[in-house]
Amino acid sequence: MKGNLIIISSPSGGGKGTLIKEILKTTPNIGYSVSYTTRAMREGEENGRDYLFVSYQEFSDLIKQDEFLEYAEVHGNFYGTSKTRVNHETDAGRDVILEIDVQGAENIVRDFPEAVSIFILPPSFEVLRDRLTDRATETTENLALRLKNSFGEVQKFKEFQYIVINDEKQQATNDLRTIILAERLKRVRQTGAIQDILDSFDISKFNTVGD
Ligand code: 5GP
């Protein structure tokens, strides 16, 4: 059985990165799809771990090679989900987390209706602004752009199956893990195992007198 595609979106500063790290540490059988991006590497980031950092030329070559499950322009840079990496995880039966923006989420849900979609909301605009400012990863201009874009992004919550409000980190992590684990228990996800059990219920071998 293939693993689930778990889409996780939020506005920049919504805290999805932190929650995803916790999930990867504490949840069995789950992987993360490292995306390609044309964005400049931030201090503390690592090529291959946080993103695969590429030039515009390399990114457009990857588009031509049909390497993206989806890609989008977000806050002035390009980001794309690698087909190879996602298939590697799901083919091995592992769930895979796609940390993507709302446009990417829309495209994945259209192409893979069985994907699980989760939107992480900050408890308020003020908290989002403070988190993003405290993170201090962006230039003043880019920070303003990300905050401005957040107004449109939060309105997209309606397109997601699940909403996790990221007020308290531990609670939000537990909520996220609950969704991921419950999705694995859906009937349609367990058809193989169920069939094996049902096959053992063979009435022709049933003996009413005893074993
Ligand atoms: P950041 O620059 O803060 O790492 O990411 C900016 C935005 O791009 C975030 O909303 C993040 O989820 C999104 N993003 C990261 N990777 C991808 C991807 O592969 N596809 C899409 N559509 N968005 C992505």
Side-chain angles (χ1 to χ4, degrees), residues 57-111:
Q57 186 54 54
E58 287 168 318
F59 198 92
S60 67
D61 288 345
L62 288 162
I63 296 174
K64 284 187 205 127
Q65 291 158 22
D66 196 27
E67 168 54 11
F68 293 128
L69 217 50
E70 64 71 40
Y71 68 92
E73 187 176 356
V74 192
H75 317 313
N77 289 295
F78 285 93
Y79 297 81
T81 303
S82 159
K83 252 186 210 173
T84 314
R85 289 185 171 238
V86 168
N87 289 342
H88 179 77
E89 295 294 323
T90 56
D91 287 351
R94 288 155 63 81
D95 288 354
V96 61
I97 294 181
L98 311 181
E99 181 190 345
I100 58 179
D101 86 310
V102 291
Q103 307 167 72
E106 209 173 325
N107 290 331
I108 294 286
V109 167
R110 188 195 54 225
D111 295 343

Side-chain angles (χ1 to χ4, degrees), residues 10 12 16 35-36 39 42 45 51 70-72 74-75 79-81 99-101 104 135 146:
S10 80
S12 193
K16 60 183 175 304
S35 293
Y36 285 96
R39 157 165 93 55
R42 289 178 190 143
E45 283 185 328
Y51 283 105
E70 64 71 40
Y71 68 92
V74 192
H75 317 313
Y79 297 81
T81 303
E99 181 190 345
I100 58 179
D101 86 310
R135 201 169 82 180
R146 283 170 182 250

Side-chain angles (χ1 to χ4, degrees), residues 22-31 93-95 177 180-181 184:
E22 287 294 312
I23 290 295
L24 292 172
K25 264 195 283 177
T26 57
T27 312
N29 222 25
I30 194 159
R94 288 155 63 81
D95 288 354
R177 193 183 308 101
I180 292 166
L181 296 180
R184 293 180 186 173

